[in-house]
Amino acid sequence: MILAIIIACEIGFWALLGLGLAARYLWRMRRLSNALLLSLPLLDVILLVAAVIDMRSGAVGSIQHGLAAAYIAYSIMFGHRTIKWADAKFAHRFAGGPPPRKPPTEKRARARYEWGVWLRILAAYAITCAVLLGVVWMVDDHSRTSALMEFMANLAKVPLIALIWPVSYSYQASRKPVDSPSEETTAESPRQ
């Protein structure tokens, strides 16, 4: 049941986002657009309530409950950025807006950008763990929640793997550029 609700929430997110942006840029209905976009967090509330009801009614914690917590955490940490990205793409495509901003290309700025993304991933992991620990505390039955503890341990791989990007960009930014031969050494000597 929880997996079906996660899928429905994901489909609902993109459907509401698409309708909200279409109402804003194609149909010029700003109030409807705002109402649709402001209703996006309700999907997270629905998912959270469904997961809590499922666990309180005696369900055994599973990967689906862990995914529900991760989905909620992703929405909290990346939902606004996803909406801004989609809004910029839609505005550029249908309303003549400027192209969406891309990540910086300068090495130090890109390293800072990647560290910011990684901190959001880490925060999403912490939120996921907090939600799951709350469920574990609420259920108070190790036999029903051991899979949730295992899910948290396995999910720790995500921020660890994601650490590759900011570390590699930081390494590239810290490297000194190879000096090109100076003009003095490459120019012919005037004595020849």
Side-chain angles (χ1 to χ4, degrees):
M1 174 180 108
I2 294 299
L3 186 59
I5 294 173
I6 292 171
I7 293 169
C9 285
E10 183 66 13
I11 292 169
F13 174 83
W14 291 106
L16 284 174
L17 181 58
L19 288 171
L21 294 175
R24 176 173 291 170
Y25 295 110
L26 299 178
W27 308 323
R28 307 280 186 227
M29 301 174 77
R30 189 79 173 178
R31 283 188 180 172
L32 176 61
S33 172
N34 289 341
L36 289 168
L37 295 175
L38 288 172
S39 68
L40 287 170
L42 292 176
L43 296 172
D44 295 336
V45 173
I46 290 168
L47 181 58
L48 181 62
V49 168
V52 168
I53 289 171
D54 192 44
M55 289 300 295
R56 290 200 65 132
S57 65
V60 175
S62 66
I63 191 170
Q64 288 99 1
H65 294 93
L67 287 174
Y71 181 90
I72 291 166
Y74 176 87
S75 292
I76 292 169
M77 294 310 302
F78 290 96
H80 184 68
R81 287 176 71 139
T82 303
I83 293 167
K84 281 178 62 175
W85 168 82
D87 184 50
K89 289 282 244 188
F90 212 93
H92 177 65
R93 175 78 171 92
F94 296 105
R101 286 181 18 183
K102 294 183 178 181
T105 55
E106 192 272 321
K107 290 181 181 179
R108 290 188 193 276
R110 182 61 183 256
R112 282 191 300 276
Y113 172 84
E114 294 296 337
W115 279 109
V117 171
W118 183 78
L119 287 172
R120 286 182 175 276
I121 291 170
L122 188 63
Y125 173 71
I127 292 167
T128 302
C129 290
V131 169
L132 291 177
L133 288 171
V135 170
V136 168
W137 174 79
M138 178 190 68
V139 172
D140 197 25
D141 182 355
H142 179 70
S143 65
R144 289 178 47 211
T145 59
S146 61
L148 301 179
M149 300 302 286
E150 186 178 327
F151 181 86
M152 282 188 277
N154 288 330
L155 192 64
K157 295 173 188 171
V158 172
L160 290 175
I161 292 169
L163 193 57
I164 293 169
W165 282 266
V167 168
S168 66
Y169 278 104
S170 295
Y171 174 73
Q172 290 175 15
S174 69
R175 291 181 56 200
K176 293 184 180 185
V178 177
D179 290 334
S180 59
S182 67
E183 290 179 5
E184 295 173 8
T185 59
T186 57
E188 291 185 11
S189 172
R191 292 186 201 177
Q192 292 180 352

